[in-house]
Amino acid sequence: MKQHKVAPGKTYPYTPWNATRFFVPLCIQAMSQGLTYPLVGVVVAHGGGGALEFSAFSQGLMIMFLLGTVGFGLITTGMMYARDRIGYIRFSTVNHFIMLFVFGLQCLLAMPYVSTLVFGLFLGLDGWQMEIARWSMFWSFPAQLGFFFRNIPQVVLYNEHRTAIANAATILRIILTALLSPLLYAIGCVGWQWGCVALSVPVVMEAALMWGFARPSVKRLPFKLQGMEKVTRLKVFLFNIPLSLGGLLLMFAVFMLNAVVNRTANGEAMLAIHLIAIGLVNPLSYGAMRNQAVAIGFPQTSFRDQRTFIFALCSGIVLGLVLLPIQIPAVSHWYFCSVQNLAEWQVPLAKRVLWVAMAFPILQALRGHAEGLAAFRKRPNAVLAGQAVFFGVLLASLVVLFFFKCPGYVMGILSLVMASFATFLTIRLGLALAWIEAPPMITPHRGTMQ
């Protein structure tokens, strides 16, 4: 891939073109992480349990990702501290420590009595569904480790603005998943076990490729970057904690959301509709959240400099409009019935979810931008406050909607939209007050633009 050489010390001024070139590879990469799960879902949903087996498998993965949120803030942390060799080493150590801790938790939750508490009491699963969720969570550990190993080279590439290179590894993962899932389906290897295989193998391959791509960038890291504050493992770890606690709150909120939806009228069918519809929405929201990196890579120069905010708004609108084609009857019938194995009566309900969901990528883009500003100002507590509000508003919304007997299939997306909006407002308010107290000194990122 062609590199654009720059002189040492060259910075990247904001222009819509520069921001777009930086954002689009990140967006595609983030979206692909969500797009691979519907592909894996094809393998799982055609197992003996059908859509219910996919529902149980999805909840097992949800617990896996819930544990992984202990490292939720590592990418942002690395973009702030792994900009020279000392910071890189400190960041790598913290990343590996958190990875081993998460793996230990994953083993713990697979133990018989603990798994009954989590999957049975909290999620409301029983019998074969509980066992599928339990073992899907455990046997997805290669993917979990792959995600953590990928953090280190990904951060190095982001800090050099080599987002296109980072994206290439993820595109290859999508291609491998897109080839592997139909192959497994064609030869009759279906069900949750093969779903874990279809998920894990491409992720491990992606992590290996990312390391290969990032090796030249790692060699170019200066030993000590002039102007960088002293970096210690403790400082890196403490910076990550508020960001990761926020991610833990987010995933626990989704954990509670699924548990509530499962307890509505016809809960199993409602949860299946929600999970399959949200499987289309999540990739778009992940992509929209990459505006966090745009806010860090092109920091605003004054309180009135809202260029990256406008970029975030426009990108969120574009991502929201991506859901429109699924409303075409032939497309919706093909995807929801043929691919995801929903019943005919469930298709109109899933389409209604997507109408509401069009607002979600917009709000996620604005929230991601606000979180990026907070990280650049080294105010991770502002992000944590926003995530706490997300958790509180989501739970309050669920309680109110459940009390008024809102249909389970739409309850989840309504709560997510309201919670995301509240998070955005909370972080922006905190940043406005902080800016008045102490305007930041802007030190743009340096490196190689792809």
Side-chain angles (χ1 to χ4, degrees), residues 19-35:
T20 300
R21 290 176 63 200
F22 183 72
F23 172 74
V24 169
L26 295 180
C27 181
I28 293 173
Q29 184 186 63
M31 288 174 61
S32 69
Q33 294 173 22
L35 285 171

Side-chain angles (χ1 to χ4, degrees), residues 128-401:
W128 64 274
Q129 276 197 306
M130 184 177 72
E131 288 302 302
I132 288 175
R134 168 193 177 188
W135 291 114
S136 297
M137 181 274 301
F138 177 74
W139 287 111
S140 60
F141 77 85
Q144 184 82 283
L145 299 181
F147 286 134
F148 273 95
F149 276 117
R150 188 187 66 182
N151 285 339
I152 301 169
Q154 197 169 25
V155 158
V156 175
L157 292 171
Y158 283 8
N159 278 342
E160 279 202 345
H161 282 214
R162 300 179 67 202
T163 54
I165 287 289
N167 188 47
T170 302
I171 293 298
L172 290 172
R173 171 161 72 95
I174 301 172
I175 293 172
L176 181 57
T177 307
L179 293 173
L180 185 59
S181 294
L183 175 63
L184 292 173
Y185 172 69
I187 63 177
C189 296
V190 294
W192 69 268
Q193 299 98 327
W194 290 105
C196 290
V197 173
L199 172 69
S200 298
V201 171
V203 171
V204 173
M205 291 293 295
E206 179 194 21
L209 285 169
M210 194 86 75
W211 271 103
F213 291 153
R215 190 172 300 276
S217 299
V218 173
K219 291 180 179 179
R220 283 194 294 267
L221 286 173
F223 179 75
K224 180 72 171 67
L225 192 64
Q226 187 175 5
M228 276 287 289
E229 59 182 299
K230 183 179 179 181
V231 179
T232 63
R233 294 180 183 86
L234 181 60
K235 182 174 288 187
V236 173
F237 182 74
L238 292 178
F239 186 87
N240 174 71
I241 284 178
L243 300 176
S244 294
L245 285 177
L248 186 64
L249 285 175
L250 290 180
M251 284 303 298
F252 189 70
V254 174
F255 177 89
M256 296 297 295
L257 188 157
N258 289 358
V260 172
V261 171
N262 198 38
R263 286 169 170 79
T264 60
N266 199 9
E268 288 185 350
M270 295 297 102
L271 184 59
I273 295 169
H274 165 76
L275 290 173
I276 289 175
I278 212 71
L280 287 172
V281 178
N282 278 340
L284 300 173
S285 71
Y286 296 154
M289 284 292 291
R290 290 304 191 188
N291 277 285
Q292 183 182 84
V294 174
I296 296 173
F298 301 93
Q300 65 185 82
T301 56
S302 69
F303 184 72
R304 293 185 178 181
D305 180 8
Q306 299 298 324
R307 291 173 296 177
T308 52
F309 174 83
I310 295 172
F311 179 87
L313 177 62
C314 292
S315 65
I317 292 172
V318 170
L319 289 170
L321 292 175
V322 171
L323 292 172
L324 273 179
I326 203 70
Q327 299 295 337
I328 300 171
V331 177
S332 60
H333 182 272
W334 167 78
Y335 181 75
F336 289 121
C337 290
S338 301
V339 176
Q340 296 296 353
N341 211 18
L342 282 181
E344 290 278 356
W345 68 271
Q346 293 175 305
V347 174
L349 304 184
K351 291 170 68 175
R352 291 177 199 169
V353 174
L354 295 184
W355 278 118
V356 180
M358 289 179 67
F360 195 52
I362 301 173
L363 294 170
Q364 289 291 87
L366 298 181
R367 183 182 125 203
H369 178 264
E371 290 184 359
L373 292 180
F376 183 77
R377 295 293 313 276
K378 289 188 170 60
R379 293 183 178 271
N381 288 333
V383 178
L384 179 59
Q387 311 294 27
V389 168
F390 184 98
F391 181 75
V393 171
L394 184 71
L395 289 187
S397 302
L398 286 172
V399 169
V400 172
L401 292 172

Side-chain angles (χ1 to χ4, degrees), residues 106-147:
Q106 207 159 333
C107 294
L108 176 64
L109 263 63
M111 296 177 67
Y113 295 107
V114 181
S115 63
T116 302
L117 177 67
V118 173
F119 296 103
L121 181 61
F122 288 144
L123 283 179
L125 300 174
D126 56 18
W128 64 274
Q129 276 197 306
M130 184 177 72
E131 288 302 302
I132 288 175
R134 168 193 177 188
W135 291 114
S136 297
M137 181 274 301
F138 177 74
W139 287 111
S140 60
F141 77 85
Q144 184 82 283
L145 299 181
F147 286 134

